[in-house]
Amino acid sequence: MAAELPFEQPLAELRGKIEELRKFGTDKKIDFADEISRLEERFIKLEDELYANLTVAHKIQIAKFPQRPTTLDYIQEIFTDYVEFHGDRLYGDDLAIVGGIAKFNGIPVTVVGHQKGKDTKDNIARNFGMPHPEGFRKALRLMQQANKFKRPIITFIDVKGAYPGAAAEERGQAEAIARNLHEMSSFGVPIICIVIGEGGSGGALALGVGNRVLMLEHSIYAVISPEGAASILYKDASKSLLAAENMKITAQDIFELGVIDDIVPEPRGGAHRDLTQQAQLIQQAIGKHLTELQQLNELELREHRFHKFRTIGKTALLGG
């Protein structure tokens, strides 16, 4: 069973009481069926109330949860015949971004995404999922190859932000991100981007210029982290929750603003509760949107992408 999130503690405590009572009854050969039934009804009611009223703070906790499935988890579940490619052919291989060729429902595609670590050692190797310039250049190399051979591109976005260290800046972090934005806008193949956890700043945008941009139900997408925004707006990083509420970073808020095209549902409690079910939901969403995009030719795909990003925010400004 997945670990509990902080806001799920009341559920964990009630579940513990149910198990304790069930074990005690078994050990002492006492029938507590009625009491257990009442507690289980109370658990279901509490669970319904909790997940029906998730706050921004709750969604941030789910999106950042270390046990949340990663790009490689979804690649393994959704795609077949995956072959991973390495290196940017300029500097080195950045493990914070993974990608390669695979088949989606029998169709050759290129899949690229941010990759966080599964444990401390893996996180250090992958720089906690924060790419250096060579990571973005590796992603671009793979996407250019996809465009050359007419393969659809699927990207998975899950990043706090591009790595802000001095070494990354020295190797051209901003230029690498800007080039990805420019190149992705010109590709003549379908591009579907999915925010699966955190979508942070330029690190997310570098893989986010798609014909369709989707978000998982409990993921977040922002131009800056709530802590960073609070430091700038309120001169106090501890006011990050207030900043997050005003920034409108949840999938539901961003969908209403017209920034994304679809929200992919998650299993109750979040994607980490059932990887197989979550992968099936993502696969269905990709299949739906890819089928629609495959009806467009190269010029129409470029124009569609251009129009999409040029009109972001217009609906909200006009009031619907």
Side-chain angles (χ1 to χ4, degrees), residues 10 15 18 20 75 136 201 233 243 252:
R15 186 186 295 112
I18 293 171
E20 183 180 345
I75 288 176
F136 296 122
S201 193
L233 296 175
Q252 295 72 26

Side-chain angles (χ1 to χ4, degrees), residues 5-312:
L5 288 154
F7 71 88
E8 294 175 314
Q9 194 58 38
L11 288 176
E13 292 174 359
L14 188 52
R15 186 186 295 112
K17 290 179 181 178
I18 293 171
E19 293 303 319
E20 183 180 345
L21 187 59
R22 183 177 286 119
K23 184 177 184 301
F24 183 78
T26 300
D27 292 342
K28 301 298 183 180
K29 296 184 173 18
I30 302 174
D31 185 5
F32 288 117
D34 291 341
E35 289 81 356
I36 291 173
S37 178
R38 284 194 291 270
L39 285 175
E40 287 177 336
E41 290 177 3
R42 182 180 167 193
F43 180 88
I44 293 172
K45 182 178 180 181
L46 178 61
E47 188 178 45
D48 288 341
E49 292 176 352
L50 182 65
Y51 293 129
N53 299 284
L54 291 175
T55 65
V56 174
H58 295 157
K59 287 181 176 289
I60 291 174
Q61 288 177 30
I62 297 174
K64 293 175 174 284
F65 193 43
Q67 292 187 17
R68 194 166 173 85
T70 66
T71 294
L72 287 176
D73 291 326
Y74 290 127
I75 288 176
Q76 183 176 0
E77 292 283 332
I78 297 171
F79 303 90
T80 60
D81 302 309
Y82 173 63
V83 179
E84 184 173 349
F85 290 173
H86 298 274
D88 67 342
R89 303 298 186 266
L90 291 171
Y91 181 84
D93 187 34
D94 187 349
L95 298 181
I97 284 186
V98 297
I101 299 173
K103 286 185 178 178
F104 175 79
N105 294 341
I107 301 171
V109 299
T110 288
V111 56
V112 182
H114 303 98
Q115 180 62 34
K116 295 179 178 178
K118 290 289 189 178
D119 52 37
T120 301
K121 182 178 179 181
D122 195 22
N123 260 319
I124 292 173
R126 298 187 185 279
N127 200 35
F128 294 86
M130 295 185 291
H132 286 77
E134 51 270 23
F136 296 122
R137 289 171 180 141
K138 173 169 68 173
L140 179 59
R141 180 175 73 85
L142 298 181
M143 291 188 287
Q144 288 171 332
Q145 183 193 73
N147 187 58
K148 177 179 179 180
F149 292 103
K150 313 303 179 190
R151 290 192 299 266
I153 298 169
I154 314 295
T155 73
F156 291 96
I157 297 169
D158 186 16
V159 62
K160 297 177 183 178
Y163 184 60
E169 298 298 338
E170 289 170 357
R171 297 201 294 272
Q173 186 74 287
E175 187 274 341
I177 293 172
R179 184 169 296 278
N180 277 32
L181 302 180
H182 178 267
E183 294 277 341
M184 288 184 77
S185 67
S186 69
F187 291 152
V189 296
I191 304 177
I192 298 175
C193 310
I194 309 162
V195 181
I196 60 174
E198 299 178 81
S201 193
L205 289 177
L207 299 185
V209 184
N211 295 95
R212 299 289 166 83
V213 180
L214 321 178
M215 288 181 69
L216 297 196
E217 182 182 358
H218 302 315
S219 57
I220 57 176
Y221 201 9
V223 297
I224 188 174
S225 70
E227 294 80 8
S231 297
I232 295 172
L233 296 175
Y234 310 117
K235 311 302 181 186
D236 184 356
S238 67
K239 294 183 178 180
S240 60
L241 181 56
L242 174 62
E245 291 173 346
N246 289 327
M247 289 164 65
K248 307 295 183 185
I249 64 177
T250 68
Q252 295 72 26
D253 288 331
I254 294 176
F255 181 75
E256 289 183 9
L257 292 171
V259 177
I260 62 172
D261 304 286
D262 201 359
I263 298 175
V264 181
E266 295 190 30
R268 172 166 289 196
H272 60 284
R273 294 292 178 189
D274 193 331
L275 170 60
T276 300
Q277 182 185 356
Q278 185 63 76
Q280 290 173 348
L281 291 167
I282 294 175
Q283 185 170 0
Q284 292 169 7
I286 294 174
K288 168 192 168 187
H289 290 287
L290 185 57
T291 298
E292 294 172 359
L293 292 173
Q294 286 177 318
Q295 308 305 312
L296 306 179
N297 61 37
E298 292 184 23
L299 178 60
E300 289 170 334
L301 285 166
R302 282 191 287 266
E303 290 181 343
H304 173 275
R305 207 176 300 122
F306 178 81
H307 178 74
K308 168 184 169 53
F309 282 88
R310 287 286 290 177
T311 56
I312 281 178

